[in-house]
Every structure is written in structure tokens, then in C-alpha cells.
Amino acid sequence: MAKDSRRSTHVVCRAVAKSRKQMRSAAEVHLWSMSDDDVTDTLREAARLRAQAEALELRLAAEADRRHAGERVGATDTAAWWAVETRQTRPAAKHRMRLAESLDRHDLTAAVLAEARCRWTTPG
């Protein structure tokens, strides 16, 4: 996330910054006080939230690649830069970049991912 995203007026920047702040707060709360139903329901919702965050991350990766983000900072390509910045392996980042680029051509798949009705997985 860009260092100045909290001050940005773009809705995506604000949403990501706000979500991260709320997740930090939630991470500090003890879970023992939740009911059994709250735990299981929230576990399912957390999985959906992760899928939606992954879909947004893929969209952002494709946009970063269109803007040559990696090359601008001296990396061989955007996937190599993304791997270093996010502590992914290079093969995983390259695989995810190919997926990100393919979503531009597959609107229905992109929409299903964004709605958390399915989830991609990395091979291996």
C-alpha cells in the first residue's frame, strides 16, 4: 500500500487503509467471548473477506503491471518487484500475475472472484 494512501481521496486507497485499521483492532480482541455460532459464521465470512481482498490485489497487480511498476524501480518486471515487496516467491508472484492479467479478459471470472463466490489457488 502506498505510504500516503490514508490521505488519498481514491475510494480504493481509503477502503484498504480503513480495512487494515479495523483488522488490526479485531486482531487484538480475545475470541473466547464469541458464541460457537459467531465463531463458525465469522470464520466463513473471514474466508470470503480474504477472497475479496485477493481479487482486489489481483486487479491492482494487473494495473501495476500496465504501469510498469517493477521496471520503474529497476526490477526485471512487475512480478519480480511484487514478489520482493510482498514476500512471495517469484514463481508464485509470476503465477499470480498471469492470473491477474487473464482476469482482464474474463469479466465473469473476475466478478465471481470479487464477490467471493469462488477462490483461486496457487498450484503446488
Side-chain angles (χ1 to χ4, degrees), residues 34-48:
M34 295 175 73
S35 72
D36 292 349
D37 287 342
D38 283 347
V39 168
T40 56
D41 292 346
T42 306
L43 178 59
R44 280 190 292 271
E45 286 301 307
R48 290 181 186 112

Side-chain angles (χ1 to χ4, degrees), residues 95 121-124:
H95 171 78
T121 58
T122 303

Side-chain angles (χ1 to χ4, degrees), residues 15-16 22 31 35 69 80 104:
V16 169
Q22 290 175 334
L31 305 180
S35 72
D104 284 342

Side-chain angles (χ1 to χ4, degrees), residues 18-34 42 46 49:
K18 183 176 180 178
S19 296
R20 291 203 58 227
K21 182 178 179 181
Q22 290 175 334
M23 291 303 292
R24 278 191 303 272
S25 295
E28 297 172 1
V29 175
H30 296 287
L31 305 180
W32 61 263
S33 60
M34 295 175 73
T42 306
L49 176 63

Side-chain angles (χ1 to χ4, degrees), residues 75-124:
T76 55
D77 58 21
T78 301
W81 166 81
W82 189 27
V84 171
E85 288 293 313
T86 60
R87 297 182 177 98
Q88 300 178 70
T89 65
R90 286 181 188 232
K94 295 244 184 228
H95 171 78
R96 294 180 76 210
M97 186 61 73
R98 283 191 302 274
L99 177 60
E101 292 165 351
S102 73
L103 290 175
D104 284 342
R105 298 184 306 275
H106 302 285
D107 294 336
L108 181 58
T109 302
V112 167
L113 280 171
E115 294 172 14
R117 290 189 282 155
C118 75
R119 192 169 174 272
W120 68 273
T121 58
T122 303

